Amino acid sequence: MERYDLVIIGAGPAGLSAAIEAARCGMNIAVYDENKRPGGQLFKQIHKFFGSKEHHAKERGFHIGEELLAEADRLGVDVSLDTVVTGLYPGNEVMIKKGGQVSHVRGDTVLLAAGASENMAPFDGWTLPGVIGAGAAQTMMNLHGIRPGSRVLMLGSGNVGLVVSYQLLQAGCEVAAVVDAAPKIGGYGVHAAKLARCGVPFQLSSTIVRAKGGDHVEGAVIGRMDEHGKIIPGSETEIDCDTICIAVGLSPMNQLARMSGCRMEQNPKKGGCVPVCNEYGETSVRGLFAAGDAEGIEEASSAMIEGRIAGIACANRLGFLEDGKAKEAVESNEQALDTLRQGMFAPKNRGKQIEKTDEGFPVSQHLLVTGFLGDDEVEVYPGVTHPKGLHPVIECTQNIPCNPCQDACPHGCIHIGSFITALPAVEASAECIGCGRCVASCSGQAIFLVNEDIGGGYASVTMPYEFMPLPEKGDIGLACSRDGQAIGEAEVLDVKSVKAFDHTNLLTIRVPAELSGKARFYKAAQQ
Amino acid sequence: MDTSERIAVHPILGVPEKGRQVQFTYNGKTMSGCEGEPVAMALKAAGVMVHRYTKKRHEPRGIFCAIGRCTDCVMVVDGVPNIRTCVTPLAEGMDVRTQDGVTPLAGDKADKEEADGTI
Ligand SMILES: Cc1cc2nc3c(=O)[nH]c(=O)nc-3n(C[C@H](O)[C@H](O)[C@H](O)COP(=O)(O)OP(=O)(O)OC[C@H]3O[C@@H](n4cnc5c(N)ncnc54)[C@H](O)[C@@H]3O)c2cc1C
Ligand code: SF4
Ligand code: SF4
Ligand code: FES
């Protein structure tokens, strides 16, 4: 039986990061992944990630994946693709299957980095063709260039549901609505706001009663739920759609962990049943580690750090890295992990009602229910000011671990401070030169440049724009409010597409001055 | 049938990288797709939704996970049943058939479907 210093199951961000650390220490590693391409979830993520600059914030997920792969390549990490790990036995013996051939290898250490599986929502008709998982929608449109449907109903308003809905719009699909059984939107407010201003409605405290259609989806019936989760009679409405996309959460992949006999726990903060791990990610089975979504559903950013910690710990265990160095490396990674795990959406705050931000500002309830900030609500936040001339307006109102906007501004107009989850504030004393970097770097597309008086009773509003076809200078179209309603005429003054902005175009429109605080999206006139 | 399923230019990803156009047959009917893309994607682009009917209750199934995990998309490919079309690359001249339980859909039903325009 072949023996390796470290066997890694799964080549997503967690597995690859562990491989990188271990390879750096000179370990002999095997990495297995069932796919034709390494990278796990990252290659389906085409949006800019949150986080801090040190952790790839404002980079699109697939670019982060490319960087990880390049680094792994440089260190000579070889990933066995199309290879499924089918068993994990005492003594850290791993059974693999490739092209129908089964073989066994042994790892002096083994890392479980198998990621997550999607939860299902069995409503009447959920097996009809046209009902798909959110991951399937991403695979179809972002990897294969195929639209999952023309008009899609999304079930689930967590970050996955929100992000995938936006990606559907970018792929040219319509999103009929985002439905969620919870009374509040589960994902980041900035993600919801991107959808709302495109006109996507949210239907909360609701669920899909049934999918309609004979051989494939031809519509859906949704109904409102009472506090016991029962459909309120008479509340059913029909939604016109040809596709239903399910994004009701992820569960850690735990079949292999169960087989290994390590201690497991049911932990709702980690998204399900996971191995009990110490601070290095080691399970109760000596030499068996877990990292990433397999250890608890979180983010790619945390998966990468957990992977690094596990890689370092394995190297240390086998004597490839001395204690002092390992301790130092683990500590700095742990610190990074801790910063990411702050804010309203941190694992420790899951399920909590949060009424006020850390700074004491009221959390917009309107945003949580409709997906957009009320016109007057927005005024209380530190990112919204009204100086003369051009200035940024930052509609980022929840404590989330993100700060690229602060780093983006060369003039110090935007302040978050050292606490990454603090709300961005606009510095009154700094002068904005209108470079647009903040707009393009904002992962939540929550920054606008506004000049409330450009003369003649007009204002200008610059917004991030990531759709096709791109409007052209001189086009006349419609200015839309935060809820996607047309509120007036808009003329396109400028469209800026800069390589450094990585496909986030900056669209500047001219609107009647009284709309400067309301116009947040642009639609071509004929739509 | 709407054939606008292929994204021509994507705002972030640009023009999708695709293999050359190849022909294959679906229940005997000639169709085209891109070489190397999963068979399921070529079918989806051609408007095919139903991949198989379940054995006991004869219910239709189509793409569900698109990553080879759920087996909803299995079909009879080149005479071999239970092929997960979402992870099987399309090749020139492939013979793809709707699966009925564990066998190809009987000729008359497949032909009828085609005549109905339900495919
Ligand atoms: C829509 C969406 C949006 C997201 N947005 C963000 C974001 O903005 N920022 C962020 O930080 N994170 C985001 N994430 C989360 C992030 O993608 C995941 O948390 C991260 O990919 C987890 O990494 P991982 O390495 O643990 O697992 P994965 O990326 O899932 O990788 C696991 C790999 O293991 C393989 N595997 C599993 N079992 C086996 C087996 N038995 N044998 C062989 N191979 C196996 C899988 O096929 C997969 O390739 C998003 C996720 C989704 C779905
Ligand atoms: S436009 Fe440029 S100068 Fe103005 S706030 Fe944004 S980054 Fe700073
Ligand atoms: S405004 Fe700043 S902190 Fe908020 S989402 Fe945008 S980049 Fe992140
Ligand atoms: S769609 Fe699930 S295996 Fe193909």
Side-chain angles (χ1 to χ4, degrees):
Chain A
M1 193 183 323
E2 263 195 273
R3 192 205 64 83
Y4 296 92
D5 297 326
L6 171 60
V7 171
I8 299 175
I9 305 167
L16 285 174
S17 302
I20 287 168
E21 290 297 336
R24 231 181 238 143
C25 300
M27 291 171 86
N28 174 25
I29 329 167
V31 189
Y32 301 110
D33 197 286
E34 61 193 351
N35 295 293
K36 293 193 173 14
R37 201 178 164 193
Q41 288 293 321
L42 282 177
F43 281 98
K44 297 178 198 170
Q45 309 311 335
I46 60 168
H47 59 291
K48 294 182 175 174
F49 274 31
F50 294 91
S52 67
K53 195 171 64 184
E54 300 76 51
H55 296 100
H56 304 275
K58 83 174 169 59
E59 275 182 59
R60 298 187 189 275
F62 68 103
H63 286 144
I64 301 176
E66 283 163 2
E67 283 169 33
L68 265 185
L69 277 181
E71 197 180 351
D73 263 357
R74 270 198 303 278
L75 289 161
V77 173
D78 179 34
V79 181
S80 305
L81 297 169
D82 270 322
T83 310
V84 193
V85 175
T86 50
L88 183 55
Y89 306 105
N92 286 335
E93 183 181 327
V94 178
M95 179 159 91
I96 56 176
K97 201 170 142 193
K98 177 167 192 158
Q101 291 279 65
V102 174
S103 55
H104 293 248
V105 300
R106 193 184 297 281
D108 287 350
T109 52
V110 172
L111 175 66
L112 283 164
S117 61
E118 292 183 273
N119 298 341
M120 280 311 122
F123 46 83
D124 212 7
W126 76 288
T127 56
L128 265 187
V131 178
I132 57 174
Q138 288 197 305
T139 303
M140 292 164 96
M141 60 191 172
N142 298 342
L143 296 185
H144 302 299
I146 306 282
R147 281 186 199 99
S150 330
R151 201 173 144 82
V152 185
L153 179 63
M154 179 65 68
L155 181 64
S157 71
N159 274 333
V160 174
L162 300 178
V163 165
V164 175
S165 293
Y166 192 73
Q167 293 178 359
L168 284 162
L169 295 175
Q170 290 181 307
C173 311
E174 269 182 76
V175 176
V178 177
V179 176
D180 201 307
K184 305 248 161 91
I185 291 170
Y188 290 176
V190 286
H191 278 322
K194 292 192 302 189
L195 291 172
R197 63 175 173 263
C198 293
V200 175
F202 287 88
Q203 305 262 3
L204 302 178
S205 301
S206 300
T207 194
I208 298 179
V209 179
R210 69 177 167 277
K212 294 178 57 182
D215 249 5
H216 58 90
V217 174
E218 290 171 284
V221 176
I222 64 169
R224 261 188 305 115
M225 297 157 83
D226 64 18
E227 62 271 32
H228 309 294
K230 287 245 154 47
I231 301 292
I232 302 171
S235 72
E236 292 96 339
T237 44
E238 271 193 33
I239 303 258
D240 171 30
C241 61
D242 60 7
T243 304
I244 296 173
C245 191
I246 304 179
V248 295
L250 302 170
S251 294
M253 290 278 264
N254 56 23
Q255 296 83 343
L256 292 169
R258 284 168 191 276
M259 282 174 95
S260 77
C262 70
R263 223 170 86 227
M264 306 286 291
E265 63 169 352
Q266 193 65 43
N267 186 339
K269 291 198 164 32
K270 291 184 173 235
C273 184
V274 290
V276 180
C277 293
N278 67 12
E279 70 262 45
Y280 306 110
E282 188 165 13
T283 68
S284 64
V285 170
R286 194 173 159 79
L288 177 66
F289 292 72
D293 281 354
E295 192 272 328
I297 303 298
E298 236 176 305
E299 302 255 273
S301 29
S302 41
M304 288 185 275
I305 304 176
E306 286 178 8
R308 286 188 191 273
I309 293 175
I312 293 164
C314 292
N316 177 238
R317 166 65 49 80
L318 301 183
F320 285 88
L321 191 65
E322 60 183 69
D323 288 356
K325 278 200 179 138
K327 189 157 173 271
E328 206 178 296
V330 166
E331 269 168 14
S332 82
N333 275 302
E334 245 146 28
Q335 228 167 357
L337 206 49
D338 194 53
T339 16
L340 286 176
R341 287 182 177 156
Q342 303 299 325
M344 283 179 61
F345 295 86
K348 61 184 174 201
N349 285 331
R350 253 171 225 174
K352 273 195 204 153
Q353 280 261 29
I354 294 178
E355 310 268 332
K356 286 212 152 79
T357 70
D358 294 344
E359 298 83 354
F361 298 109
V363 169
S364 164
Q365 296 305 307
H366 202 262
L367 177 63
L368 292 174
V369 174
T370 61
F372 57 94
L373 291 159
D375 288 343
D376 45 349
E377 270 182 335
V378 80
E379 295 298 329
V380 307
Y381 297 102
V384 182
T385 59
H386 301 278
K388 268 209 158 65
L390 194 61
H391 60 277
V393 171
I394 311 181
E395 303 189 356
C396 176
T397 63
Q398 297 171 327
N399 297 117
I400 54 174
C402 184
N403 69 2
C405 51
Q406 166 171 269
D407 289 320
C409 183
H411 275 226
C413 297
I414 302 174
H415 179 79
I416 287 186
S418 54
F419 210 57
I420 182 177
T421 50
L423 295 189
V426 171
E427 293 280 3
S429 56
E431 201 189 330
C432 169
I433 52 162
C435 68
R437 284 192 212 170
C438 55
V439 179
S441 72
C442 173
S443 324
Q445 298 193 7
I447 306 185
F448 305 86
L449 299 181
V450 178
N451 188 339
E452 284 157 32
D453 179 14
I454 56 167
Y458 288 103
S460 71
V461 179
T462 300
M463 62 192 74
Y465 195 86
E466 295 189 350
F467 296 102
M468 289 289 205
L470 204 51
E472 282 173 28
K473 192 172 167 173
D475 283 0
I476 306 285
L478 298 167
C480 298
S481 54
R482 294 185 182 86
D483 60 350
Q485 300 300 313
I487 48 171
E489 197 180 81
E491 181 184 335
V492 177
L493 293 180
D494 190 27
V495 183
K496 198 162 158 188
S497 310
V498 181
K499 187 143 187 282
F501 292 174
D502 190 10
H503 296 89
T504 305
N505 307 286
L506 266 44
L507 180 68
T508 302
I509 57 173
R510 187 184 75 165
V511 294
E514 67 273 16
L515 299 184
S516 68
K518 297 190 167 134
R520 292 295 178 265
F521 195 60
Y522 171 85
K523 266 188 198 155
Q526 73 272 16
Q527 283 182 356
Chain B
M1 192 37 90
D2 184 8
T3 52
S4 64
E5 266 91 349
R6 286 192 191 272
I7 301 169
V9 191
H10 189 282
I12 309 301
L13 301 167
V15 178
E17 263 175 52
K18 284 293 191 178
R20 67 180 178 114
Q21 284 268 318
V22 293
Q23 299 213 311
F24 67 101
T25 60
Y26 164 69
N27 289 342
K29 184 178 151 193
T30 303
M31 286 187 169
S32 65
C34 302
E35 187 174 48
E37 73 181 348
V39 171
M41 296 303 134
L43 292 173
K44 171 74 189 165
V48 174
M49 297 297 290
V50 179
H51 288 223
R52 68 175 175 107
Y53 291 93
T54 57
K55 193 165 174 208
K56 277 203 203 120
R57 302 175 57 178
H58 211 73
E59 291 172 352
R61 293 283 187 274
I63 299 174
F64 184 69
C65 73
I67 51 168
R69 280 192 186 153
C70 73
T71 69
D72 273 2
C73 69
V74 301
M75 299 178 84
V76 183
V77 177
D78 290 337
V80 183
N82 293 328
I83 298 294
R84 292 171 304 166
T85 53
C86 69
V87 289
T88 302
L90 182 71
E92 173 105 64
M94 254 181 182
D95 175 50
V96 181
R97 289 180 186 270
T98 311
Q99 184 166 319
D100 189 17
V102 290
T103 50
L105 197 61
D108 54 337
K109 176 105 199 279
D111 296 343
K112 180 177 159 295
E113 256 194 291
E114 204 176 325
D116 281 355
T118 47
I119 50 177

